[in-house]
């Protein structure tokens, strides 16, 4: 039996496409071999062709014929891809992968071979060998440890992973990743170590273990893995895990930034704020905004104004904050976090919930305008609080900041329509850099001149106008490469922002009274805002359940609170650093209250909001069998570096498909095996979920 199996595996490796020789040799052996005495009648082999003349056709065609249809219709747990044309022009896998993953010979029992004495793992079938190995023990797949390990795996794209000979014995599936994932992670780790050594050599002790730069880098990396674990284990937003990592590392004594690096972290927050506002502007759909402009404004500004004023009043009477500090806190707390809302709505959209009435587009548009209002009002209030000019100038400064910021953003947006030129070979990177640097100059420059509310409005206005012009020039809104680049920027700054924000919390210094009052204020504001939002959705095409869901979907808070929570404390220290005096303890206390309430809003509302959206969505939204692809909605909520490609694979794939269709066939198919009415059959592999 071992000899026979080895011969069969050798034949498969030598002839990955043509299996007629293997079938012929099996038939000849069956004829010369004497029959075995058995009581039950022999069952015919399913792999032997029913045609008598096997020499007429010796090649396995990727098109459907009688033999292939019979073979594909056989019951099997694992089917391969037989048609390369039906796979589409983008990211096609190799023919060798397609042929080896197909059910090419049902006479060979792969499971029996794996359970035998000799286990051979081919370089082209390692992934499927691991799946077959896992299929032999169904009870193992139902165990909790198997589900936990399998949830951390991701499918290898393209050619299956090559593996060393003893990899499966040393690192069995699913306890360990594939060799490709292991080698990729090891490569990134080694590159990081080499970069750290170079930075250590150049910058000295600050990059050494225990230094400030080393502490910041280690905190960011740990926060990234904390967010990854949060997504894999609980499916909650990763920012919750990043915030928890920052809090834990601060309270165990690992993180302790000095004054110089506290200044650096403040600039990290401002860069992250610029990325947040730019993404909000690029996510706004100009066509949808034109159609439902009044609805969006009504759902964005009315509930936001109500929550801001309610939070300010409750903070003034319950936390003893002055009115200016109370409204500063209310402008931050009232902001909605797209980083929490969008991934949850993306999962609901994938299942067909709410897409028939455009609820994802509506929520996304309102979130962007909500964030713009929060940042603008916060900038105006903070500029008035920490300004040294007269009262009259402070009153006039608010409206002028709004008008000047919007005008400057519109001007920059139209400039990006003509510069760079639309057919430039470096069009995408130039537009990305101009939008990023222009946003940073707007935010930092407006704060430097004392007009803090103008910069954020300029950022979101320039991004929206630029996206509108690029869409009119031919770019797709849902596949904008500039928006993809900023989403990838956010992947790098997200762990920095939330880990540094979490590192501001010292648990032993928190007052229980402050925590309880903050939780009560947040709960009251969130519930009343949800009810008001549902009431503001009257005279729309939404039913009662959908109106209530829209109100619940805007209860999560995270990004703006993390970016602006500590700005007040930085401004207090900056104002008194000029004179060389220590800030008054009263102002420091007010700023710390603002930080505590902002962090409490993230810790409480972000996970609760994600859970509420996930649970209430299927119960309150109508489901569509085939959800349409709406404009203004991204194809994925979490891009990767692989989204940036030098080669346009779709365009090249379309050219290859057109060339294949226009080229004549190499050899005509015999009439005895032709099926004129049959269409190409594509069999997709079954991936267990």
């Amino acid at each position: 039996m071992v000899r026979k199996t080895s011969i069969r595996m050798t034949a498969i490796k030598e002839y990955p496409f043509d299996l007629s020789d293997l079938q012929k040799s099996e038939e000849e052996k069956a004829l010369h071999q004497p029959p075995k005495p058995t009581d039950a009648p022999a069952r015919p082999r399913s792999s032997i062709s029913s045609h008598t003349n096997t020499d007429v056709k010796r090649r396995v065609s990727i098109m459907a014929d009688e033999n292939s249809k019979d073979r594909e219709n056989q019951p099997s747990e694992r089917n391969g891809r037989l048609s390369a044309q039906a796979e589409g022009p983008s990211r096609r896998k190799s023919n060798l992968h397609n042929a080896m993953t197909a059910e090419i010979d049902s006479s060979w029992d792969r499971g029996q071979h794996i359970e035998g004495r000799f286990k051979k793992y081919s370089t082209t079938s390692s992934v499927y060998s691991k799946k077959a190995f896992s299929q032999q023990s169904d009870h193992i797949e139902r165990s909790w440890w198997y589900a936990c390990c399998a949830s951390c795996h991701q499918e290898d794209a393209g050619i299956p992973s090559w593996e060393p000979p003893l990899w499966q014995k040393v690192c069995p599936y699913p306890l360990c990743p594939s060799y490709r994932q292991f080698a990729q992670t090891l490569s990134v780790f080694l590159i990081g170590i080499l970069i750290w050594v170079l930075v250590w050599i150049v910058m000295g002790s600050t990059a050494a273990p225990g230094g400030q730069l080393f502490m910041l880098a280690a905190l960011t990396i740990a926060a990234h893995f904390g967010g990854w674990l949060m997504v894999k284990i609980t499916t909650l937003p990763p920012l919750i895990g990043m915030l928890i990592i920052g809090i834990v590392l601060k309270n165990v004594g690992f993180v302790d930034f000095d004054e110089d690096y506290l200044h650096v972290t403040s600039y990290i927050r401002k860069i992250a704020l610029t990325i947040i506002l730019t993404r909000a502007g690029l996510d706004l759909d100009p066509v949808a905004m034109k159609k439902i402009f009044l609805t969006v404004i009504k759902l964005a500004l009315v509930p936001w104004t109500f929550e801001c004023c309610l939070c300010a009043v409750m903070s003034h009477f319950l936390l003893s904050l002055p009115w200016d500090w109370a409204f500063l806190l209310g402008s931050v707390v009232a902001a909605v976090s797209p980083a929490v809302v969008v991934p949850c709505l993306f999962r609901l959209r994938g299942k067909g919930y709410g897409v028939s009435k455009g609820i994802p587009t509506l929520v996304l548009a309102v979130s962007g305008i909500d964030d713009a209002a929060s940042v603008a009002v916060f900038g105006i209030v903070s500029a008035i609080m920490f300004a040294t000019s007269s009262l009259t100038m402070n009153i006039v400064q608010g409206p002028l900041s709004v008008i000047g910021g919007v005008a400057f953003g519109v001007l920059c947006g139209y400039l990006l329509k003509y510069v760079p030129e639309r057919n430039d070979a470096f069009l995408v990177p130039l537009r990305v850099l101009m939008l990023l640097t222009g946003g940073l100059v707007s935010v930092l420059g407006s704060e430097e001149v004392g007009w803090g509310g103008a910069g954020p409005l300029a950022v979101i206005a320039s991004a929206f106008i630029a996206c509108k012009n690029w869409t009119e020039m031919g770019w797709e809104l849902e596949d904008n490469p500039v928006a993809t680049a900023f989403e990838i920027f956010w992947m790098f700054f997200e762990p920095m922002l939330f880990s540094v924000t979490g590192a501001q919390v010292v648990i032993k210094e928190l007052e229980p009274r402050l925590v309880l009052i903050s939780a009560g204020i947040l709960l009251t504001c969130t519930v009343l805002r949800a009810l008001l939002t549902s009431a503001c959705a009257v005279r729309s095409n939404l039913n009662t359940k959908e109106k209530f869901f829209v109100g619940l979907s805007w209860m999560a808070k995270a990004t703006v609170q993390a970016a602006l929570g500590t700005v007040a404390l930085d401004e207090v220290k900056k104002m008194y650093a000029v004179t060389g005096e220590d800030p008054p303890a009263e102002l420091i206390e007010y700023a710390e209250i603002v930080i505590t309430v902002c962090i409490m809003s993230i810790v409480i509302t972000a996970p609760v909001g994600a859970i509420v959206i996930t649970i209430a969505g299927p119960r309150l939204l109508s489901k569509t069998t085939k959800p349409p692809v709406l404009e203004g909605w991204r194809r994925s909520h979490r891009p990767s570096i692989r989204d940036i490609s030098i080669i346009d694979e779709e365009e090249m794939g379309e050219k290859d498909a057109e060339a294949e269709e226009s080229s004549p066939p190499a050899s005509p198919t015999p009439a005895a095996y032709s099926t004129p009415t049959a269409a190409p059959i594509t069999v997709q592999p079954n991936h267990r979920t």
Side-chain angles (χ1 to χ4, degrees):
M1 180 63 187
V2 174
R3 176 66 176 174
K4 181 179 178 181
T5 305
S6 302
I7 294 175
R8 196 183 309 279
M9 285 297 296
T10 305
I12 289 176
K13 292 180 180 179
E14 293 178 355
Y15 300 93
F17 300 104
D18 188 2
L19 303 175
S20 57
D21 294 337
L22 178 61
Q23 294 178 356
K24 183 178 178 182
S25 62
E26 291 296 328
E27 294 173 5
E28 293 177 355
K29 291 180 180 180
L31 292 176
H32 293 289
Q33 185 177 2
K36 297 181 180 180
T38 55
D39 296 336
R43 186 171 55 185
R45 299 277 299 267
S46 60
S47 63
I48 301 177
S49 175
S50 60
H51 298 280
T52 56
N53 188 7
T54 57
D55 295 330
V56 177
K57 182 181 179 183
R58 299 181 55 82
R59 296 289 178 184
V60 177
S61 175
I62 62 174
M63 304 294 289
D65 57 8
E66 296 177 2
N67 289 341
S68 62
K69 286 194 295 184
D70 293 339
R71 181 171 60 251
E72 289 158 2
N73 292 331
Q74 293 175 356
S76 174
E77 296 180 359
R78 174 179 51 87
N79 293 323
R81 185 177 285 113
L82 299 179
S83 174
Q85 295 177 354
E87 201 174 337
S90 60
R91 303 189 184 276
R92 295 177 297 173
K93 298 183 180 180
S94 64
N95 293 329
L96 182 60
H97 172 78
N98 298 334
M100 289 305 298
T101 60
E103 284 288 340
I104 52 181
D105 187 7
S106 60
S107 63
W108 171 46
D109 189 359
R110 188 184 189 92
Q112 183 179 359
H113 169 70
I114 292 178
E115 292 178 1
R117 179 180 178 184
F118 294 91
K119 299 180 182 180
K120 296 187 178 180
Y121 294 91
S122 169
T123 58
T124 58
S125 61
S126 60
V127 174
Y128 298 95
S129 300
K130 290 181 291 186
K131 289 185 177 180
F133 180 77
S134 63
Q135 290 173 2
Q136 68 176 344
S137 301
D138 293 337
H139 67 280
I140 295 180
E141 296 186 4
R142 290 191 293 267
S143 60
W144 65 270
W145 63 267
Y146 184 94
C148 182
C149 295
S151 63
C152 297
H153 282 269
Q154 58 183 4
E155 294 293 336
D156 290 333
I159 302 175
S161 172
W162 174 87
E163 294 179 353
L166 300 178
W167 178 258
Q168 283 298 321
K169 293 183 178 180
V170 178
C171 302
Y173 180 89
L175 296 178
C176 300
S178 65
Y179 181 75
R180 176 180 298 170
Q181 297 173 2
F182 169 77
Q184 187 180 44
T185 305
L186 181 61
S187 301
V188 173
F189 177 75
L190 293 177
I191 292 172
I193 292 295
L194 294 176
I195 293 176
W196 170 59
V197 171
L198 290 176
V199 174
W200 189 357
I201 294 174
V202 173
M203 301 190 66
S205 60
T206 185
Q212 297 291 307
L213 182 60
F214 177 84
M215 195 181 302
L216 178 62
L219 179 63
T220 304
I221 295 173
H224 174 76
F225 283 103
W228 177 79
L229 286 176
M230 183 64 65
V231 172
K232 290 296 183 179
I233 297 176
T234 65
T235 68
L236 291 176
L239 56 91
I240 301 174
M242 299 172 185
L243 186 70
I244 293 175
I245 290 295
I247 296 175
V248 171
L249 294 183
K250 173 65 176 180
N251 288 272
V252 299
F254 179 80
V255 177
D256 188 15
F257 294 118
D258 55 18
E259 292 296 330
D260 294 335
Y261 269 83
L262 287 176
H263 187 65
V264 172
T265 56
S266 66
Y267 280 102
I268 291 177
R269 294 189 186 93
K270 294 174 183 177
I271 296 173
L273 178 64
T274 304
I275 296 174
I276 292 169
L277 296 176
T278 305
R279 292 185 61 199
L282 293 175
D283 283 337
L284 294 177
D285 184 3
V287 178
M289 287 291 296
K290 186 177 181 180
K291 293 180 180 179
I292 57 174
F293 178 76
L294 294 179
T295 302
V296 170
I297 295 299
K298 179 175 61 176
L299 292 177
L301 296 183
V302 174
W304 180 90
T305 304
F306 172 78
E307 185 177 6
C308 177
C309 297
L310 180 62
C311 181
V313 172
M314 296 183 68
S315 300
H316 174 73
F317 289 104
L318 298 180
L319 297 178
S320 302
L321 288 178
W323 282 112
D324 52 354
W325 283 90
F327 277 99
L328 185 74
L329 176 60
S331 63
V332 180
V333 171
V336 178
S337 175
V340 178
V341 176
V342 172
C344 299
L345 287 178
F346 178 82
R347 288 193 292 267
L348 293 176
R349 174 192 174 275
K351 299 177 182 179
Y353 291 105
V355 296
S356 59
K357 295 185 179 180
I359 293 179
T361 303
L362 176 64
V363 173
L364 188 65
V366 172
S367 300
I369 296 178
D370 189 280
D371 289 349
S374 293
V375 177
V377 173
F378 178 86
I380 294 172
V381 173
S382 62
I384 294 175
M385 288 174 56
F386 303 109
T388 57
S389 56
S390 61
L391 179 61
T392 304
M393 185 61 187
N394 292 336
I395 296 175
V396 176
Q397 183 178 348
L400 291 180
S401 298
V402 175
I403 298 174
V406 173
F408 182 75
V410 171
L411 179 64
C412 293
Y414 277 102
L415 177 64
L416 287 170
K417 179 180 180 180
Y418 302 101
V419 180
E421 194 265 336
R422 65 179 63 186
N423 295 320
D424 195 328
F426 301 97
L427 177 66
V428 175
L430 288 176
R431 284 180 173 177
V432 171
L433 292 176
M434 288 187 65
L435 201 57
L436 178 62
T437 54
L440 291 175
V441 169
S442 299
V443 172
L444 299 178
S446 62
E447 291 183 358
E448 191 67 24
V449 298
W451 293 60
L457 287 176
V459 172
I460 195 170
S462 63
F464 173 70
I465 297 298
C467 181
K468 173 181 174 294
N469 294 329
W470 296 340
T471 305
E472 294 174 354
M473 295 168 63
W475 275 14
E476 296 181 6
L477 183 66
E478 67 272 10
D479 197 16
N480 189 342
V482 176
T484 303
F486 274 90
E487 289 176 2
I488 294 175
F489 292 158
W490 176 243
M491 292 172 59
F492 288 97
F493 279 91
E494 184 181 17
M496 288 187 189
L497 175 63
F498 287 99
S499 61
V500 169
T501 303
Q504 298 286 332
V505 179
V506 181
I507 297 178
K508 64 181 180 180
E509 296 180 0
L510 291 178
E511 298 180 4
R513 176 181 173 274
L514 176 60
V515 173
L516 293 177
I517 294 178
S518 301
I521 293 175
L522 294 172
L523 181 61
T524 304
C525 293
T526 301
V527 173
L528 294 181
R529 173 172 178 160
L531 296 176
L532 180 62
T533 304
S534 302
C536 291
V538 295
R539 302 180 65 181
S540 62
N541 62 341
L542 304 178
N543 56 36
T544 305
K545 292 184 178 180
E546 291 169 344
K547 293 175 184 177
F548 189 63
F549 175 81
V550 168
L552 292 176
S553 62
W554 289 321
M555 64 181 299
K557 311 174 187 301
T559 49
V560 174
Q561 290 75 17
L564 300 180
T566 59
V567 171
L569 181 61
D570 296 336
E571 291 295 331
V572 169
K573 294 180 179 179
K574 180 180 178 182
M575 182 174 60
Y576 285 92
V578 178
T579 60
E581 301 176 358
D582 294 333
E586 187 178 19
L587 296 181
I588 296 294
E589 182 182 358
Y590 294 156
E592 290 179 350
I593 290 176
V594 172
I595 295 175
T596 303
V597 176
C598 289
I599 295 177
M600 288 288 295
S601 67
I602 301 174
V603 174
I604 295 175
T605 62
V608 173
I611 294 172
V612 168
I613 293 174
T614 304
I615 296 177
R619 292 169 172 81
L620 300 179
L621 299 179
S622 58
K623 184 176 182 180
T624 305
T625 305
K626 294 182 179 180
V629 179
L630 300 176
E631 295 182 356
W633 192 259
R634 305 248 174 258
R635 295 177 181 174
S636 72
H637 65 283
R638 189 77 174 175
S640 64
I641 303 297
R642 300 183 183 90
D643 293 333
I644 300 179
S645 177
I646 300 176
I647 302 174
D648 190 350
E649 297 183 359
E650 294 186 358
E651 182 179 357
M652 294 186 64
E654 291 175 359
K655 293 180 180 180
D656 294 342
E658 293 175 358
E660 292 177 1
E661 292 177 358
S662 61
S663 60
S667 60
T669 307
Y673 295 92
S674 62
T675 55
T677 60
I681 296 178
T682 303
V683 183
Q684 300 290 341
N686 293 330
H687 298 286
R688 293 200 168 190
T689 57

